[in-house]
Amino acid sequence: EDEDGLAAAAANPSSSSLLPAVVGGGAHARAAAYSASPGAAELKETFAEWMAEQRWEEMKQLFEFWVRSLDPASGKPNRPDVDLFNHYLRAQLMSGALPIEMLDLAEQMREFEITPNTASHNLILKSMVQAQEADGAEKLIER
């Protein structure tokens, strides 16, 4: 029963086809609890708690599940805002995402009609600094 729900959410092409599928029963069980009534505000509250606990993998999995799920009130795909997506970027950064992966995620923001903000760019720049990619960081700042 839970696996069918996960498969349906992962197969939902109306969100973003670039986000990876969520796998693993533990993450799905937590995500399933949200599928009943999660809104962006509730998700942000959860992410704030999980950031303090450094639960980066769980944040990534829940975000990926959420963007592939339908809003129970409207029946439309969940749409993250820039703040919610920045939580996802931070979780990616803290999990060791490479600068190219962070840039790809910034491009995915545009698929959701989200414009990366200063916080988004700072997270990408931080990944470049950690990877010692000074040239890439300078180019991003110039852009």
Side-chain angles (χ1 to χ4, degrees):
E1 166 180 324
D2 283 345
E3 290 177 7
D4 291 341
L6 177 61
N12 181 354
S14 59
S15 289
S16 172
S17 60
L18 297 179
L19 289 173
V22 178
V23 294
H28 175 60
R30 283 184 294 278
Y34 279 99
S35 64
S37 64
E42 291 87 357
L43 205 54
K44 286 178 196 176
E45 287 178 27
T46 298
F47 286 169
E49 292 172 19
W50 287 5
M51 279 178 45
E53 298 168 5
Q54 299 184 7
R55 295 168 65 179
W56 311 119
E57 290 300 321
E58 290 168 294
M59 285 176 66
K60 292 184 329 187
Q61 291 174 356
L62 181 54
F63 178 86
E64 291 162 4
F65 178 85
W66 186 81
V67 297
R68 291 170 176 232
S69 300
L70 300 178
D71 179 305
S74 69
K76 295 180 181 178
N78 286 317
R79 304 291 296 181
D81 61 14
V82 69
D83 295 326
L84 192 53
F85 211 104
N86 283 343
H87 281 299
Y88 182 61
L89 283 175
R90 179 172 306 282
Q92 290 287 349
L93 172 70
M94 299 306 289
S95 296
L98 298 173
I100 189 68
E101 295 169 320
M102 296 293 284
L103 288 166
D104 286 347
L105 290 172
E107 194 57 38
Q108 285 184 31
M109 291 175 84
R110 297 184 203 305
E111 292 178 21
F112 287 106
E113 299 174 357
I114 301 169
T115 302
N117 62 14
T118 301
S120 312
H121 288 114
N122 284 344
L123 290 164
I124 296 165
L125 285 170
K126 188 166 185 170
S127 74
M128 292 178 169
V129 169
Q130 288 175 348
Q132 299 180 348
E133 290 188 17
D135 292 341
E138 286 178 25
K139 288 176 185 172
L140 180 61
I141 290 171
E142 288 171 9
R143 266 198 280 167

